[in-house]
Amino acid sequence: MTEQINDQISAFIDDELSADESAMLVRRFERDPEARGQALRYTLIGTALRGELLEPHPAVLRHRIAAALAGAVPVTPRLPVRWSVVRIARPLLGFGIAATVAVVAIGVLRAVNNSDPVSSRIVAATVAAPLPLQARDAVEAPSYVVPPEVAEGRVVTPPIRLTNYLMHHSEYASRLSRTSVHSNVVSAAPERPRAATPEARQ
Amino acid sequence: MIRISRSVLAPTLFSLTFVGGQAVAQEARTWLDRMNRAVEELNYQGTFVHVLGGTAETLRIVHRNAAGRSAERILSLDGVGREIIRQDDEVQFILPDQRVVLLETRKDVSPLVTALPSYSAEIEPHYELTLHNTARVAGRSAQVLEIKPRDEFRYGYMLWLDQETAMPLKSELIDEKGAIVEQILFTEIDLLPDIPAEALEATLDTTGFTVLSAPDSPLLAEQAIPWRASAVPGGFKLSVATQSPMPGSEYPVEHLVYSDGLATVSVFIEDPKTNAEVGDGFSNLGSTNAFSLTLRGRKVTAVGEVPRQTVRTIASSLVAE
């Protein structure tokens, strides 16, 4: 599956696709189980990170698909945004999983246009401080924009020898650490290692 | 009215508080032990999200325990689809992007090796254990357990343990500044009575891949390994001294393991000529930090899920006894 499709699915989850684009993507879901699985995974990630994974199949994806099939403007469920969620979601910016940001941005847009002053205050107060830039960007450019890549913090492939070390180390680590080490090794991006940091040479 | 002397009340309250604290710590340790057993002994499969820095990756895990023999497969559902399959003493790491299979075999010669660590009261001088309220994760009720280090040489954890089985449904690794380094979060998990062996088979076709495996060389006994760290943070003790055969290397690498009962640091010592790939300095793979240096003609590398200063302290203090 191409990066473009992944971006489209991410935008679909975030309600950033036009009605026509959404309808096309839903038709693709009908014949492409991989795309369908990816959509479910993105939805699960967003929902889980918001701490709202109380049922195995999040309602967000169902709403999006139902709305696309009906040709109607999809309804975004208003979700409570807590500080811990914002803190967790921040590192995910630029990775293409913009579900939390989009929900917040949509919430802000709706709050701005909402005649109910109480709900406006709640949404604005909740999202304005932690994510002002993301919300403002979304207001200025509400159409679908592929989020930029964020290189910082990206895991790099270690030299084979370091991988050997980690694999041996994991055998003696606690079970919790072993899962962590294996996840780190499996998740490493296919890039060359970065050079040793200057601090290391002191 | 009954008057109670302050001299009687104060020690009594202190004793009650102390006993209460001990009981909570004991209960927390029991949860940790249950978690350790659950992760190893249960049959389960599920999907979890691994969040690290600016990256989130979705992974699939299948864990099988049949007749006391455990096997596990972890597959990345994103990216290039790397896969780790661990069966008994053999670990296969499949890197489709590099068309390589790393084959690791564990050969323990150290009598100090234990199958599962147990969490004794020895960890308490170095970690504060707190049981919090319950929460829901992946649709299940979970006990929240906080493990807070008492110094800056180790990481802390927040764990969400399934109330029924003690499986960790969510975990956060927290650094010495209180920031979350890594999160592992199950989005779905199935606990099953049995898992077929076929579920552990590689999903990738490795035909034509280069297989890197270690030569079958005789290993030294623990006593024959002269290296020891002369400066380790409080609570870290030598738990293993062994040799580890390395794929692509003719000679096994000397391997020391230091543990404080929760965190583990491995120190690898080898001839620098066989290890040109690892330069001196810090490197990291996700939440695992590594520090390498050339010391007394040997390449020394310490790795562990601990802060950078801990791997550097231990690696730099290595001496030959």
Side-chain angles (χ1 to χ4, degrees):
Chain A
M1 199 158 44
T2 66
E3 193 69 22
Q4 190 186 0
I5 295 297
N6 284 339
D7 289 340
Q8 271 198 333
I9 293 171
S10 176
F12 176 71
I13 302 296
D14 300 340
D15 195 19
E16 291 173 343
L17 288 186
S18 68
D20 288 346
E21 287 173 313
S22 296
M24 278 178 63
L25 194 60
V26 168
R27 282 200 292 278
R28 184 186 179 105
F29 287 155
E30 287 170 5
R31 65 175 193 279
D32 185 350
E34 199 182 348
R36 217 163 44 230
Q38 188 75 316
L40 183 60
R41 279 201 295 279
Y42 281 179
T43 313
L44 283 168
I45 290 169
T47 314
L49 289 174
R50 288 192 297 269
E52 292 154 1
L53 197 68
L54 298 180
E55 53 178 308
H57 301 293
V60 176
L61 186 58
R62 287 202 303 271
H63 287 158
R64 293 270 182 278
I65 291 176
L69 290 174
V73 178
V75 177
T76 304
R78 183 159 299 186
L79 302 169
V81 179
R82 295 188 299 273
W83 159 240
S84 59
V85 176
V86 174
R87 189 177 54 173
I88 292 162
R90 188 178 293 159
L92 295 176
L93 291 174
F95 186 70
I97 309 168
T100 307
V101 175
V103 168
V104 169
I106 291 164
V108 170
L109 274 172
R110 290 189 175 168
V112 166
N113 296 322
N114 198 332
S115 59
D116 176 5
V118 176
S119 59
S120 297
R121 275 204 306 277
I122 292 168
V123 175
T126 313
V127 302
L131 286 170
L133 291 177
Q134 289 83 350
R136 191 182 59 199
D137 288 346
V139 170
E140 287 170 353
S143 60
Y144 169 50
V145 177
V146 178
E149 283 276 322
V150 176
E152 187 185 348
R154 191 160 172 78
V155 182
V156 297
T157 303
I160 291 290
R161 180 55 109 229
L162 188 53
T163 305
N164 293 151
Y165 286 164
L166 290 174
M167 299 295 286
H168 280 275
H169 167 70
S170 71
E171 294 299 304
Y172 298 95
S174 71
R175 277 304 279 111
L176 198 63
S177 291
R178 185 190 294 167
T179 303
S180 170
V181 171
H182 284 178
S183 300
N184 286 329
V185 170
V186 167
S187 301
E191 296 170 19
R192 291 309 302 162
R194 39 183 177 212
T197 58
E199 183 190 345
R201 302 185 187 286
Q202 288 168 4
Chain B
M1 181 182 289
I2 300 170
R3 291 174 65 89
I4 301 173
S5 162
R6 224 181 267 173
S7 61
V8 173
L9 189 60
T12 306
L13 282 175
F14 175 78
S15 301
L16 286 172
T17 307
F18 180 74
V19 170
Q22 292 287 90
V24 170
Q26 174 61 47
E27 191 184 350
R29 287 203 310 273
T30 304
W31 271 102
L32 278 177
D33 274 328
R34 281 185 64 205
M35 175 199 75
N36 224 28
R37 283 199 303 276
V39 170
E40 193 65 25
E41 294 171 5
L42 293 178
N43 289 300
Y44 52 91
Q45 58 185 22
T47 305
F48 65 93
V49 184
H50 180 236
V51 183
L52 188 79
T55 307
E57 184 111 0
T58 319
L59 300 114
R60 180 89 184 145
I61 186 168
V62 179
H63 184 93
R64 177 175 190 256
N65 183 24
R69 298 173 72 182
S70 71
E72 187 171 280
R73 182 162 72 90
I74 296 181
L75 165 71
S76 170
L77 299 177
D78 302 325
V80 293
R82 292 179 175 182
E83 192 165 2
I84 287 180
I85 300 167
R86 184 175 180 278
Q87 303 233 39
D88 297 326
D89 294 336
E90 189 177 275
V91 183
Q92 256 191 95
F93 177 28
I94 305 170
L95 300 97
D97 49 313
Q98 298 178 29
R99 296 183 61 77
V100 164
V101 178
L102 282 180
L103 204 56
E104 303 273 359
T105 309
R106 172 170 151 175
K107 294 179 179 177
D108 290 329
V109 292
S110 171
L112 297 174
V113 172
T114 52
L116 290 173
S118 67
Y119 300 105
S120 68
E122 284 185 17
I123 67 171
E124 277 160 38
H126 312 292
Y127 297 93
E128 183 185 344
L129 307 181
T130 308
L131 284 170
H132 293 284
N133 291 334
T134 56
R136 286 187 74 78
V137 180
R140 299 177 69 93
S141 180
Q143 171 65 55
V144 183
L145 171 60
E146 181 178 10
I147 304 169
K148 195 172 177 182
R150 297 187 195 272
D151 62 30
E152 67 280 17
F153 290 106
R154 43 213 119 209
Y155 286 154
Y157 285 96
M158 282 290 276
L159 303 171
W160 284 255
L161 306 177
D162 182 39
Q163 282 225 290
E164 192 183 323
T165 62
M167 264 294 292
L169 302 174
K170 178 179 174 182
S171 67
E172 290 177 349
L173 187 66
I174 297 163
D175 73 11
E176 65 277 26
K177 293 169 188 155
I180 297 173
V181 177
E182 174 194 71
Q183 278 188 301
I184 290 178
L185 166 65
F186 273 95
T187 54
E188 55 150 326
I189 185 165
D190 293 321
L191 300 163
L192 303 165
D194 187 30
I195 285 183
E198 302 81 62
L200 275 300
E201 288 173 6
T203 52
L204 297 163
D205 180 7
T206 56
T207 308
F209 282 28
T210 304
V211 178
L212 296 175
S213 60
D216 193 12
S217 52
L219 301 178
L220 288 176
E222 181 192 337
Q223 297 78 2
I225 296 169
W227 301 96
R228 295 291 183 268
S230 60
V232 293
F236 278 92
K237 292 178 185 165
L238 182 72
S239 58
V240 175
T242 185
Q243 283 188 317
S244 295
M246 291 280 159
S249 177
E250 190 179 344
Y251 304 103
V253 174
E254 288 158 308
H255 182 184
L256 307 177
V257 181
Y258 288 89
S259 175
D260 67 357
L262 199 63
T264 306
V265 175
S266 283
V267 185
F268 297 93
I269 307 126
E270 65 178 316
D271 189 324
K273 289 177 205 154
T274 65
N275 188 26
E277 282 183 292
V278 179
D280 284 355
F282 286 113
S283 50
N284 74 295
L285 188 63
S287 54
T288 310
N289 279 313
F291 181 79
S292 297
L293 77 165
T294 306
L295 204 62
R296 296 171 188 87
R298 308 282 280 177
K299 174 66 78 179
V300 176
T301 302
V303 303
E305 299 75 59
V306 290
R308 292 170 125 207
Q309 60 177 321
T310 307
V311 284
R312 180 164 63 179
T313 300
I314 292 176
S316 306
S317 74
L318 208 71
V319 293
E321 289 186 330

